[in-house]
Amino acid sequence: MNSTIYDTAKTEENEGQTQIELTANETNLLVSAFNFGLVLTHLAGPWLAIRIGFKRVLLFSTLATGILTLCIPVLLETSVTAAIISRVLAGALTGPAVPVLRASLSGWAPSNEISKMVSLQIIGCPAGIVSAQFFGGLLSKYSWHLVFYLSGLLCIIWALVWQLFVFPSPEEDPRCTEDERKYIISRRNASCDSRIQRYIPWSIILTSIPVWVLTFAQLCTNWIIFLILAKFPVYLSNTFGLDVFTVGLIGTVLALVLIASGFFGFVSDIISKNKSETFSRKAISTTSSCGIALSLILLSRNPCMLVVNIALSIVLAFSVGIGSFLALEPNSMDLAPDHAGIIQGLVNTVGNCAGFGRDKNKK
C-alpha cells in the first residue's frame, strides 16, 4: 500500500488516470500516518476483546478498514488532509489485529503446538506485504485506484469469512469433534475463565523483567525486518546500479525467505517437548541473534560483491524469521496465557515504533 502511495505521488495524467500532485512531505505523511494510528490501539484492542470478544473486535476493525481503503482514491483526489486522517484511522483500526489474534489462540492452542500455530498465524503479515506489492505493481500499471479497491474488497470478504467460520473456543465451535475438543482443552495453558481474563494485573505486567526483555527484543527485530524489506533493496540499487525489476525481485525473494522461516515452528515445539519451552525460546533466539549479527558484520565488509551481499541478506532474513516467528512471537503465550493479548499489545506498541522513520528518506 505504501509503495502505491509513492507511485501515486508521481502519477501523471495518462490513459485517463487522474493526476495527483503530492509534495515529498505530503507523501511521507501519508505513509507514516498508518504507523502512527497503528500503535495507538495495540493495547486498546485486546482490552476491548476481553469485554466484547475478539471475534467482534476483529470483525468491526477489518470491515471498517476495508471501507476506509475503498475511500482512499476519492479522498486523495479531493483532500490530502482527509486522506491522511483516513490513513491514521485505518492504522488505528488495524492495530488490534496481531494482539487480538494472539489472544484468540489462547483458547485453541495446545501447549505442545504453540510455536507452530503462532508462526503459521504471524507469517500472514509478510505474506500479505509480498502479495500486495506484487499484485499492486501489476494493477497500478492500469490504474492506481484498483490497488485500493481490491485491497478494500478483500478486507470485507475476509471479515465475512471470519464471521462465518471462526469461534472463540472449541467449546463453542459446532464443527469441532468431541475428540478434538477434549484434546485441546486438556493441553491448553489458558484457563479461558472470563473472570480471570477481565482482571488485568497491570502492575505485575509493567514491572515484569521478562515482559520488557521481550519488548526490547521485538523492537530490535522489527528494526531489522524493516531494514530488510524497505532499505536493503534501495542499498542494492544505489550500490550496484540495479534496475527496478531486479531490485524488486531480490526484495521479493528476501520476503519469501522470511515467510518460509515461519514454517519451522514445529522445530521449536520438538525442542520444547524434549527440553522445555524456556530452553527452546532461548536457544532459537540466541542462534537467530548470532546469525543476524554475523550477517550484518559481513555485509559491511563486502560492499562491492553483489552475490555475497544477496547470499548474506538471505541468511539475515532467515535468521530474523526464525528468531521472530519461533521465539519472540509465541513468548507472550508462555508468560501469561490468559493475558497474552495484553502483553502482545504492549510489545507491539513499542516494537512498531521502529517503523516510524523507515520511509522518511525514500525518494
Side-chain angles (χ1 to χ4, degrees):
M1 194 70 72
N2 285 348
S3 60
T4 302
I5 290 175
Y6 280 116
D7 292 338
T8 301
K10 298 179 289 184
T11 297
E12 296 180 355
E13 195 164 359
N14 184 30
E15 297 182 1
Q17 292 195 44
T18 305
Q19 183 177 9
I20 302 294
E21 294 183 359
L22 300 176
T23 65
N25 186 51
E26 288 173 337
T27 304
N28 287 326
L29 280 174
L30 274 168
V31 173
S32 301
F34 185 87
N35 290 320
F36 281 111
L38 193 69
V39 300
L40 296 177
T41 53
H42 279 318
L43 274 172
W47 178 85
L48 188 61
I50 291 172
R51 280 147 181 81
I52 66 173
F54 70 82
K55 185 175 179 178
R56 292 176 180 172
V57 172
L58 275 184
L59 176 66
F60 171 77
S61 67
T62 308
L63 275 175
T65 301
I67 293 170
L68 278 174
T69 304
L70 290 173
C71 296
I72 288 289
V74 175
L75 293 175
L76 276 173
E77 293 172 359
T78 55
S79 171
V80 175
T81 301
I84 292 172
I85 293 173
S86 71
R87 290 285 290 167
V88 174
L89 290 175
L93 289 165
T94 306
V98 172
V100 172
L101 282 171
R102 193 60 35 77
S104 72
L105 283 182
S106 297
W108 282 95
S111 59
N112 59 325
E113 297 182 33
I114 288 177
S115 295
K116 178 174 64 179
M117 294 181 71
V118 171
S119 60
L120 289 176
Q121 183 190 74
I122 203 66
I123 60 175
C125 293
I129 292 172
V130 172
S131 301
Q133 288 178 336
F134 177 76
F135 290 106
L138 293 178
L139 291 172
S140 62
K141 292 181 179 180
Y142 301 97
S143 172
W144 59 267
H145 299 73
L146 292 176
V147 180
F148 295 98
Y149 292 150
L150 179 61
S151 299
L153 183 61
L154 288 175
C155 281
I156 294 172
I157 293 173
W158 183 90
L160 296 176
V161 173
W162 171 268
Q163 176 64 21
L164 291 173
F165 293 100
V166 174
F167 292 87
S169 66
E171 292 93 326
E172 300 177 50
D173 188 351
R175 288 183 292 271
C176 187
T177 66
E178 190 61 31
D179 289 340
E180 290 174 330
R181 190 175 292 111
K182 289 180 179 179
Y183 174 81
I184 294 171
I185 293 174
S186 64
R187 286 170 172 80
R188 67 188 179 192
N189 291 330
S191 67
C192 293
D193 188 331
S194 60
R195 292 172 298 177
I196 295 176
Q197 293 176 342
R198 280 178 177 272
Y199 171 72
I200 303 173
W202 288 109
S203 60
I204 296 176
I205 292 174
L206 294 176
T207 57
S208 170
I209 293 177
V211 168
W212 286 108
V213 169
L214 174 61
T215 302
F216 181 72
Q218 189 69 61
L219 175 65
C220 296
T221 300
N222 283 0
W223 182 271
I224 299 297
I225 290 176
F226 294 148
L227 177 71
I228 294 171
L229 297 180
K231 294 300 182 183
F232 189 72
V234 177
Y235 160 75
L236 290 178
S237 177
N238 294 339
T239 304
F240 300 101
L242 302 180
D243 57 50
V244 175
F245 176 79
T246 304
V247 170
L249 183 62
I250 293 172
T252 301
V253 169
L254 295 180
L256 290 174
V257 170
L258 196 64
I259 294 168
S261 64
F263 289 97
F264 286 80
F266 69 92
V267 174
S268 179
D269 288 329
I270 292 174
I271 297 174
S272 297
K273 182 179 179 180
N274 294 326
K275 293 288 186 177
S276 67
E277 289 178 350
T278 301
F279 179 86
S280 172
R281 304 287 185 253
K282 288 183 177 180
I284 292 175
S285 184
T286 301
T287 303
S288 167
S289 298
C290 290
I292 293 170
L294 184 61
S295 299
L296 289 173
I297 291 171
L298 292 177
L299 276 169
S300 67
R301 304 282 292 182
N302 297 276
C304 299
M305 300 176 66
L306 178 59
V307 175
V308 174
N309 272 259
I310 294 174
L312 288 173
S313 65
I314 290 175
V315 174
L316 176 62
F318 187 77
S319 299
V320 171
I322 63 171
S324 177
F325 300 147
L326 277 62
L328 300 184
E329 295 294 346
N331 198 224
S332 58
M333 294 184 66
D334 299 333
L335 296 175
D338 285 308
H339 304 292
I342 295 294
I343 293 176
Q344 195 64 48
L346 173 63
V347 170
N348 282 15
T349 298
V350 178
N352 280 330
C353 290
F356 281 155
R358 73 182 190 276
D359 295 308
K360 185 176 181 181
N361 298 319
K362 187 171 179 178
K363 302 296 183 184

